[in-house]
Amino acid sequence: MELDELRQMNAGDLRLKEREAREEIFRLKLKLRTNQLDNPSNYRRARKELARIMTLLRRKSGPAGVGAAARTKASDAGAS
């Protein structure tokens, strides 16, 4: 799938694509380990697509999620 198409998707659609990509990677890994995979580059392509999807999901969640986690850790450290 093209990166532009992924960028236009909302977070819910990206989560669905993430689940599909993980299932595809599982199937490809199984075929790779049992020497039934015709084209090993498909496994690498699927992993890269999952990484792109996860990156876009992380960016769409925005800095609020990252900042909240950082503030929680900082407040826990200060409480000790």
Side-chain angles (χ1 to χ4, degrees):
M1 177 166 270
E2 291 291 322
L3 185 57
D4 291 334
E5 293 174 18
L6 290 173
R7 285 183 178 151
Q8 293 175 358
M9 292 183 173
N10 61 22
D13 291 338
L14 284 172
R15 285 189 190 95
L16 180 63
K17 280 300 224 184
E18 177 188 9
R19 190 175 324 129
E20 291 172 358
R22 287 184 188 275
E23 289 173 2
E24 181 182 3
I25 289 171
F26 175 77
R27 286 191 304 273
L28 290 171
K29 188 186 295 188
L30 185 62
K31 285 183 178 182
L32 183 68
R33 300 292 187 224
T34 58
N35 293 324
Q36 296 175 357
L37 188 59
D38 296 330
N39 190 356
S41 66
N42 288 339
Y43 177 67
R44 184 174 184 192
R45 178 198 47 78
R47 286 181 29 224
K48 286 186 174 188
E49 183 175 341
L50 176 62
R52 286 184 188 105
I53 292 168
M54 291 175 63
T55 299
L56 289 172
L57 272 172
R58 190 171 47 245
R59 287 183 181 174
K60 286 192 187 266
S61 67
V66 175
R71 283 191 300 270
T72 303
K73 287 181 183 179
S75 65
D76 288 344
S80 297

